[in-house]
Structures are given as structure tokens and as C-alpha cells.
Amino acid sequence: KMTCSEDEYELLIKGYMTDELPDQTYYQFSTLLLDHFIEKEKWEELEQILLELQIKFEQYPILAKQLEYLYQTYCVNKKDRDVYS
């Protein structure tokens, strides 16, 4: 992660996230991207990928709950905080 730019890191991870991957592996790569977006405060990108992941993993209740928690915490609540800032 430290040897490339933010954009290169994102492209590298997205390059591995193909539909051919088993769902478990896809999710593992997606968590790297989620952590990166949170760390860099890229809220729009985070919201977009969370919405995509919620659809992709809706058949996995625990993952769906985790993704919903992240969405509520970083997207919905963040918007609420921004309104009052």
C-alpha cells in the first residue's frame, strides 16, 4: 500500500475484484477497499461500493448486516453530521 499512490492502490484492488472470484475472496478484497476509503475519507466512493456490495451479498445475512452498519455509520450518519457542521 505504501509503494503506490492512492489511485494506484484502488485500481490494484478493483482489478482483483472480478465476478469470477468466489464470494468470500471478493468480500475480502472489498474490505481492503472499504478500509482505504474510510481511512482517506472518500465518502462518495465508500457509499457507492457499499451500495454495490449490499446488493451482491444480500443472500449472506451477517455480511448484509455488517455492510448496512457501515453504510449507516459512514454514509447516513456522516451526511447528518455534515448538515449540522
Side-chain angles (χ1 to χ4, degrees), residues 47-77:
E47 182 173 13
Q48 180 181 356
I49 193 170
L50 281 170
L51 292 172
E52 292 169 10
L53 292 171
Q54 284 177 319
I55 293 167
K56 183 171 180 69
F57 293 105
E58 64 188 353
Q59 74 272 22
Y60 301 102
I62 291 180
L63 297 182
K65 286 282 189 193
Q66 182 179 20
L67 293 166
E68 177 61 24
Y69 170 79
L70 291 171
Y71 183 79
Q72 290 296 322
T73 301
Y74 292 104
C75 300
V76 174
N77 292 342

Side-chain angles (χ1 to χ4, degrees), residues 23-65:
D23 285 348
Q24 181 179 3
T25 306
Y26 189 99
Y27 190 77
Q28 288 173 323
F29 277 110
S30 72
T31 60
L32 294 173
L33 207 49
L34 292 171
D35 290 344
H36 171 74
F37 289 150
I38 292 168
E39 178 185 329
K40 300 299 180 184
E41 298 183 359
K42 293 187 162 193
W43 307 124
E44 290 178 17
E45 292 89 338
L46 179 66
E47 182 173 13
Q48 180 181 356
I49 193 170
L50 281 170
L51 292 172
E52 292 169 10
L53 292 171
Q54 284 177 319
I55 293 167
K56 183 171 180 69
F57 293 105
E58 64 188 353
Q59 74 272 22
Y60 301 102
I62 291 180
L63 297 182
K65 286 282 189 193

